[in-house]
Amino acid sequence: MPELPEAETIVRGLRTAVLGEHIHRVEVMHNDILRQPKTEFVRGVRGRSIDAIGRRGKNVLIRLEGDRVIAVNLGMTGRLLPFSALPRGERRPSHPAVRFRFESGALLVFDDTRRFGTVEALTDDEWQTRSARMGPEPLDAGYRARDLFRALQRSRAPARSWLLDQKNIAGLGNIYANEALYLAGVHPQREARRVRRPEAMGLHRAIRRVLRDAIQAGGTTIRDYRNAEGGRGEYVRRLCVYGRNGEPCLKCRSDICRIVFANRSAFYCPTCQPVPTP
DNA sequence: AGTGTATCCTGCAGGC
DNA sequence: TGCCTGCAGGATACAC
């Protein structure tokens, strides 16, 4: 659920909260969150300090001394919650999966209701290999509209499926993929290779605009997403199609439609995003 | 090779 | 009230 803007918002919050902390103890409450043996994970992180916090696509990267990195994929309901002391009462995480305790007494909790998220300790080299298999960062200055157009040409997948595939672009999820397609006037089921050059230009612009605006709004909270301070994302108020089926299109007043394909809902305006003609 | 489907898991909303 | 179904921001093993 957390997509690029949510991951970026969490990263910014974590920088002020846990940068420089020294990991003293690690507790794993749910082994299924880890993608490696628990002993290997603990060995990779314990006793190291946090040098930097970064992001790649939807992944939060906690960089440790000694060329190590904790890679966190938030899945659908994952949260990274820093606390200055052991939390109690309402502020306590509901489904803690991994707890990092710092020498200062502060701690960082990976909390995940559905446990679709993953946490792993990697060397920089291992992470580089992983990162190389992912598509370009859509907000990088070097990501060009013509690159998007050329890549689209090579696929028969529906445009929405193509945008969700992290090998094509890193960081888009179901919300922002649908929003970008709406802004670009492309139907979610249009074959990627049938997106014309001017439409690809518009889609490139739409992707970057949606992601930048959503970061500025602190992401989108539908139900579970919270930032590092426990706060909500305000981009919900700016959504044009996602979750708005049956409501009027903001441009033309047609009813927004919801369809399901590839096991996920897609939202679009039947007038602004005409059905693909075979 | 590249795409679509089913699956992991929990919680919530809505219908009866 | 309680039971059932469907739905949810992701990623991936598998079948075609």
Side-chain angles (χ1 to χ4, degrees):
Chain A
M1 107 221 31
E3 308 178 30
L4 186 154
E6 289 75 28
E8 180 62 28
T9 303
I10 288 168
V11 162
R12 292 177 185 187
L14 287 182
R15 284 198 184 116
T16 60
V18 302
L19 212 49
E21 293 282 5
H22 190 267
I23 300 172
H24 183 242
R25 219 154 93 79
V26 189
E27 294 156 89
V28 179
M29 285 76 90
H30 286 289
N31 284 308
D32 53 357
I33 287 292
L34 303 179
R35 293 180 59 177
Q36 66 201 136
K38 183 170 162 178
T39 50
E40 192 180 313
F41 172 72
V42 172
R43 201 177 327 124
V45 303
R46 196 171 52 193
R48 296 173 194 272
S49 59
I50 299 178
D51 280 355
I53 314 271
R55 177 191 63 72
R56 172 84 167 96
K58 306 173 187 177
N59 299 278
V60 174
L61 305 174
I62 301 172
R63 300 198 167 274
L64 307 177
E65 62 177 314
D67 295 328
R68 297 288 182 136
V69 57
I70 304 173
V72 180
N73 187 295
L74 299 153
M76 294 280 243
T77 51
R79 300 173 183 182
L80 280 167
L81 304 169
F83 296 94
S84 53
L86 256 186
R88 39 181 70 239
E90 291 175 15
R91 277 264 295 153
R92 198 173 17 197
S94 57
H95 298 75
V98 181
R99 210 159 27 213
F100 301 93
R101 290 181 186 265
F102 304 125
E103 265 177 0
S104 67
L107 63 161
L108 176 65
V109 179
F110 178 70
D111 189 72
D112 189 0
T113 306
R114 293 176 70 180
R115 301 205 303 283
F116 286 174
T118 57
V119 177
E120 56 188 324
L122 302 171
T123 64
D124 268 355
D125 284 349
E126 288 168 332
W127 170 252
Q128 282 310 317
T129 306
R130 190 81 60 85
S131 178
R133 287 198 283 264
M134 299 172 56
E137 281 291 321
L139 293 180
D140 273 2
Y143 183 58
R144 291 301 188 2
R146 62 167 178 272
D147 301 332
L148 173 62
F149 176 65
R150 282 202 265 257
L152 285 165
Q153 295 298 99
R154 288 188 255 110
S155 171
R156 311 168 84 107
R160 200 276 311 259
S161 301
W162 194 89
L163 292 175
L164 288 184
D165 190 336
Q166 302 298 295
K167 293 193 302 299
N168 298 139
I169 303 183
L172 285 181
N174 207 23
I175 295 180
Y176 302 112
N178 278 283
E179 292 296 310
L181 287 168
Y182 168 77
L183 293 181
V186 175
H187 191 283
Q189 284 177 305
R190 178 102 68 93
E191 261 186 52
R193 62 178 185 165
R194 299 208 186 280
V195 175
R196 299 175 186 287
R197 187 186 298 271
E199 291 171 326
M201 303 290 149
L203 184 56
H204 176 265
R205 189 199 311 268
I207 289 167
R208 303 199 357 147
R209 183 175 150 203
V210 162
L211 294 177
R212 268 198 282 258
D213 287 354
I215 289 171
Q216 202 175 4
T220 302
T221 296
I222 302 291
R223 59 180 74 76
D224 299 296
Y225 167 70
R226 293 293 124 90
N227 63 30
E229 287 83 43
R232 297 161 168 273
E234 297 300 329
Y235 197 77
V236 236
R237 292 194 267 202
R238 316 249 316 259
L239 295 176
C240 295
V241 287
Y242 188 87
R244 291 194 67 242
N245 48 114
E247 293 175 38
C249 168
L250 302 170
K251 290 188 233 170
C252 76
R253 317 307 291 174
S254 303
D255 277 7
I256 299 298
C257 296
R258 170 182 174 268
I259 53 173
V260 176
F261 65 94
N263 272 346
R264 331 258 332 240
S265 293
F267 303 89
Y268 66 98
C269 168
T271 307
C272 301
Q273 298 160 272
V275 197
T277 47

